[in-house]
């Protein structure tokens, strides 16, 4: 879908459909909607005055100008109460509009920038939110089946129209930023929505290589031999149960040479059966999403490169399947991670922290300024926080706070959980330095305590995204399926960091 920006008066545009808006409680609109209302002989204010809830949040009301304006249709979208409008609500509104327009069989439409006028949002930010919401809300995974005949075609073009020449530049920039971030998120969604037989560790590495090749990103892919040399015994241990070879992907975007890099680490379990500690078969198909952290890492790399951020970012992905077999890791086995620490395997289903241990060990060699890992790590985090917020933990409170700040603007919610030292008791082993499961109690925290052991020497934060990677119901700008959670959050954080540093 293309997004373009144009200066002009919305009521004078020839189009199949134009979008304007109305706040709840307003009966006589001002601004662009007011101009359209006058062109329509008061049709909008008439219905609003009669009590039609045109301004209700995400309410869709269609008007047919019948020659009174060059446009064939006018869609009035409700913005809700003025005091409740936020950037995140703007995204939700844009998503609802995009899907509504698409359902009419219309593929090209014009819109004003909601929230940029009287509502007083910064025009660049409002535009970014509008474009993000549109592209994110219109996302559909192509899949492998035939498309149902009755399903409407893809949207082709959104044109943003503004009468404010002084805001044109900010609107253009906001549109471009929004496009880049939304496309990077949809890219991550695509990777996660792929079935595991089309998204093996090798496939994931190929995806990273071609994404990197198209932009200014270095990409190195390691196989089992390299892992052996580096001493990645934990990643190799998880991988040994599968016929698919593991891959370790290291990407680097250098937008500011010479500074210490920021590292994003993603869990890339392309399918998690649990291994010998096998999961119940009900719902196991979902476990193709266990590489959502890896997908978000690729999405972040793609976005920071496309945005040309003045920052140095390294993306690390440990990728493998977790399957049972005659060669698989067994409960009670001991493996040695890259940094030299030994791990007793209690559950082969606690595989995410094993592969992350090696990735965090690899990160130490890059002398990072900060490391953030993203992982669908524990069912316990889903029990604690549901599908609303990701679990956020870390060894560096300034880093944790910076991520919380970024969360505010993106609507990708996080909630900090404590890393009290007493939780470490649960992962003490009799035969190794640490064990990989601390049982059911506080399992999101004990998993993070485990990771903490492997992230000594640099500021580190961890996002447990187990509840956020996937949604069964379309909600606002997040359609059913893979969510792409984490891309927008981390890009926002990196943008702020690039400005500050
Ligand atoms: N990938 C799972 C976590 C998960 C569970 C993600 C549900 C999404 C939905 C992870 O590898 C896992 O199996 N964790 C175990 C750890 C336990 C054995 C200590 C869990 O949380 O049950
Ligand atoms: Mn598991
Ligand atoms: Zn897993």
């Amino acid at each position: 879908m293309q997004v373009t920006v144009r200066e002009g008066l919305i009521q004078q545009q020839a189009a199949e459909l134009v979008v304007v808006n109305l706040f709840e409680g307003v009966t006589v609109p001002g601004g662009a909607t007011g101009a359209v209302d006058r062109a329509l002989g008061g049709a909008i204010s008439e219905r609003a005055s009669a009590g039609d809830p045109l301004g209700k949040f995400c309410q869709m009301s269609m008007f047919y100008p019948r020659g009174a304006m060059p446009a064939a249709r006018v869609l009035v979208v409700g913005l809700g109460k003025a005091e409740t409008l936020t950037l995140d609500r703007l995204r939700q509104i844009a998503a609802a509009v995009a899907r509504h327009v698409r359902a009419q069989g219309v593929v090209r439409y014009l819109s004003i920038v909601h929230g940029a006028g009287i509502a007083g949002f910064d025009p660049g930010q409002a535009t970014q939110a509008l474009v993000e919401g549109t592209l994110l809300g219109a996302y559909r995974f192509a899949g492998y089946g035939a498309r149902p005949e009755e399903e409407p075609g893809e949207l082709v073009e959104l044109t943003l129209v503004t009468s404010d020449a002084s805001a044109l530049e900010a609107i253009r920039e906001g549109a471009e930023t929004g496009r880049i971030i939304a496309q990077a998120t949809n890219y991550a969604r695509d990777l996660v929505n792929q079935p595991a037989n089309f998204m093996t560790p090798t496939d994931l590495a190929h995806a990273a290589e071609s994404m990197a090749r198209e932009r200014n990103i270095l990409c190195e892919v390691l196989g089992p031999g390299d892992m052996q040399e580096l001493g990645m015994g934990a990643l190799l241990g998880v991988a040994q149960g599968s016929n698919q070879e593991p891959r370790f992907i290291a990407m680097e975007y250098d937008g500011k040479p010479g500074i210490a890099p920021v590292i994003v680490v993603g869990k890339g379990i392309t399918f998690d059966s649990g291994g010998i500690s096998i999961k119940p078969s009900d719902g196991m198909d979902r476990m193709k999403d266990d590489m959502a952290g890896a997908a978000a890492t690729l999405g972040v790399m793609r976005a920071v490169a496309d945005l040309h951020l003045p920052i140095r970012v390294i993306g690390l992905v440990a990728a493998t399947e977790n399957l049972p077999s005659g060669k698989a890791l067994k409960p009670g086995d001991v493996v040695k991670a890259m940094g030299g620490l030994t791990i007793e395997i209690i559950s082969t289903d606690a595989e995410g922290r094993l592969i992350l241990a090696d990735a965090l060990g690899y990160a130490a060699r890059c002398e990072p300024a900060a490391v953030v890992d993203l992982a669908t790590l524990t069912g316990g985090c889903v029990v604690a926080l549901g599908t609303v917020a990701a679990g956020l933990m870390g060894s560096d409170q300034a880093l944790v706070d910076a991520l919380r700040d970024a969360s505010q603007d993106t609507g990708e919610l996080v909630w900090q959980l404590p890393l009290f030292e007493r939780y470490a008791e649960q992962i003490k082993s009799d035969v190794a330095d640490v064990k990989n499961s601390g049982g059911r109690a506080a399992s999101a925290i004990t998993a993070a305590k485990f990771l903490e052991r492997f992230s000594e020497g640099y500021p580190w934060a961890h996002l447990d995204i187990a509840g956020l990677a996937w949604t069964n119901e379309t909600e606002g700008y997040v359609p059913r399926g893979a969510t792409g959670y984490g891309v927008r959050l981390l890009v926002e954080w990196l943008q702020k960091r690039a400005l500050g540093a």
Side-chain angles (χ1 to χ4, degrees), residues 30-385:
T33 307
V36 169
D37 183 45
R38 285 189 294 280
L40 295 179
I44 298 173
S45 46
E46 184 182 71
R47 261 174 72 183
S49 305
D52 283 14
L54 267 51
K56 230 183 83 191
F57 181 63
C58 283
Q59 182 81 26
M60 303 290 160
S61 312
M62 199 71 88
F63 292 80
Y64 297 87
R66 305 179 68 207
M69 271 171 55
R73 294 181 191 77
V74 172
L75 177 63
V76 177
V77 61
L79 301 183
K81 294 204 178 79
E83 60 274 20
T84 62
L85 191 64
T86 58
L87 287 175
D88 206 54
R89 282 197 143 208
L90 281 174
R91 285 186 202 101
Q92 293 168 37
I93 289 161
V97 166
R99 286 195 298 264
H100 189 78
V101 169
R102 186 171 65 191
Q104 312 301 309
V106 174
V107 298
R108 284 190 173 78
Y109 63 110
L110 269 56
S111 177
I112 59 168
V113 180
H114 311 301
I118 16 182
F121 281 94
D122 169 75
Q125 277 191 313
T127 306
Q128 185 184 328
L130 169 56
V131 172
E132 283 177 3
T134 303
L135 298 179
L136 293 171
Y139 171 82
R140 288 189 291 208
F141 178 58
Y144 292 90
R147 272 240 172 264
E149 189 114 11
E150 65 279 7
E151 214 174 80
E154 298 301 329
L155 293 169
V156 174
E157 189 177 18
L158 165 63
T159 305
L160 299 175
V161 180
T162 179
S163 60
D164 182 359
S166 70
L168 203 58
E169 202 40 49
I171 289 176
R172 286 224 163 89
E173 264 172 42
E176 181 62 1
T177 304
R179 178 190 68 78
I180 288 169
I181 293 173
Q183 285 180 348
T185 306
N186 287 342
Y187 167 71
R189 289 172 173 179
D190 267 341
L191 295 173
V192 178
N193 279 324
Q194 286 290 352
N197 60 325
F198 290 107
M199 193 46 67
T200 63
T202 309
D203 293 325
L204 187 58
H206 286 155
E209 281 171 333
S210 67
M211 183 277 291
R213 202 177 308 122
E214 289 160 20
R215 31 186 74 74
N216 191 18
I217 296 174
L218 297 172
C219 182
E220 196 186 351
V221 175
L222 309 183
D226 312 295
M227 293 170 197
Q228 205 87 54
E229 267 173 40
L230 287 168
M232 293 180 155
L235 172 55
L236 282 167
V238 175
Q240 75 194 33
S242 168
N243 291 345
Q244 291 290 336
E245 282 193 358
R247 290 288 181 265
F248 189 84
I249 309 166
M251 298 160 281
E252 178 167 350
Y253 162 74
D254 203 350
K256 190 169 180 181
I259 62 167
V262 167
I263 303 188
V264 179
V265 177
K267 170 179 172 182
I269 296 291
T270 60
F271 187 76
D272 183 11
S273 71
I276 295 297
S277 315
I278 198 160
K279 290 180 180 295
S281 59
D282 255 10
M284 204 201 271
D285 52 292
R286 253 286 302 285
M287 283 299 133
K288 68 173 185 179
D289 78 358
D290 213 18
M291 38 62 78
T297 302
L298 266 63
V300 170
M301 295 307 293
R302 176 183 156 136
V304 295
D306 288 350
L307 291 168
H308 307 294
L309 290 189
I311 192 167
R312 205 174 145 216
V313 186
I314 292 176
L316 301 177
V317 165
T320 173
E321 291 186 328
N322 184 26
L323 292 181
S325 80
K327 289 195 221 156
L329 218 51
K330 305 170 292 297
D333 287 357
V334 172
V335 297
K336 187 189 259 188
M338 191 172 157
L341 290 176
T342 55
I343 306 163
E344 181 189 8
I345 309 301
I346 298 300
S347 168
T348 64
D349 199 10
E351 83 298 337
R353 65 199 74 181
L354 296 174
I355 69 170
L356 289 172
D358 280 335
L360 292 170
Y362 186 98
R365 302 195 329 171
C366 310
E367 294 175 19
V371 178
V372 178
D373 76 74
L374 285 154
T376 46
L377 205 61
T378 66
C381 198
V382 190
V383 172
L385 300 172

